[in-house]
Amino acid sequence: MQAESRMNTDAARTLAVRIEPMLLELITAHERLIRVLEKHRAAISSANARALGDVVREEREVLERIATLDRSCREILDEWPGGVTVTALAGMLSPPEGPRLAESAAYLRALSSRSRTLQSTVREASESLSAHINGLMRQVSQRLSHAGTYGPGAKVESRSSVVSGLDMSL
């Protein structure tokens, strides 16, 4: 019985040694994501199209990195018979490894929660900005449609010739 417990502890320690660096990389990636999301929100607030383009590219890169790291972590954790969570793995380890791993997992959960909240905020701000721009475009098309230039879908339609001119003679 004691030998089996020792084997489980050794296996847990081996798994922890492999998972901890990835966990730290995930923490770094989530911290970066939070910074990028805050820049995204600021770019929307200032209606800075160039900054929006840059921040969206950066956000996509960070999210891809997080997905890759998360997939790798899950693969390692699934090596444990029946699978294991980082918190459960930390509980199998004695100090200092166990508490350090548990603290990292808790911090990552907090960062993940914060990034989900920010993503929701950015999504709502984007939808609001999009609705505002659509409203502006509808107003423009309504104002210009008296000349028959714009049709109902705010598409250019030329139903009739619009004759206009400017007298340049003096």
Side-chain angles (χ1 to χ4, degrees):
M1 190 73 156
Q2 199 174 34
E4 185 178 321
S5 175
R6 176 79 175 139
M7 284 177 42
N8 280 343
T9 302
D10 289 344
R13 190 172 291 118
T14 301
L15 216 57
V17 165
R18 291 175 54 208
I19 203 75
E20 189 171 26
M22 287 187 182
L23 199 61
L24 295 175
E25 282 187 59
L26 269 169
I27 287 170
T28 300
H30 273 85
E31 288 171 337
R32 181 175 171 213
L33 178 61
I34 288 170
R35 287 190 303 273
V36 170
L37 288 168
E38 288 170 346
K39 288 193 309 190
H40 193 159
R41 189 173 54 185
I44 290 171
S45 294
S46 64
N48 185 337
R50 180 175 296 200
L52 273 170
D54 293 342
V55 80
V56 166
R57 277 188 293 282
E58 188 177 358
E59 190 175 324
R60 188 177 313 120
E61 289 172 10
V62 176
L63 288 170
E64 287 172 3
R65 178 70 179 143
I66 288 171
T68 300
L69 287 167
D70 190 54
R71 216 174 6 262
S72 297
C73 283
R74 288 182 194 280
E75 288 171 5
I76 291 171
L77 294 171
D78 286 345
E79 291 176 14
W80 190 268
V84 68
T85 64
V86 174
T87 303
L89 182 63
M92 297 176 204
L93 301 171
S94 57
E97 294 93 359
R100 184 178 63 228
L101 197 59
E103 188 175 306
S104 293
Y107 183 54
L108 181 58
R109 276 192 302 277
L111 288 173
S112 181
S113 175
R114 173 75 176 135
S115 67
R116 278 192 305 274
T117 300
L118 279 171
Q119 284 174 318
S120 177
T121 301
V122 166
R123 186 179 314 108
E124 289 172 11
S126 296
E127 289 169 355
S128 177
L129 180 61
S130 177
H132 176 68
I133 290 172
N134 285 336
L136 289 175
M137 293 306 294
R138 271 193 307 277
Q139 285 181 358
V140 167
S141 70
Q142 287 170 354
R143 296 270 174 139
L144 295 176
S145 68
H146 73 280
T149 307
Y150 286 87
K155 295 178 183 172
V156 176
E157 294 179 4
S158 189
R159 293 186 185 145
S160 61
S161 297
V162 177
V163 179
S164 59
L166 181 60
D167 184 6
M168 297 295 289
S169 62
L170 290 173

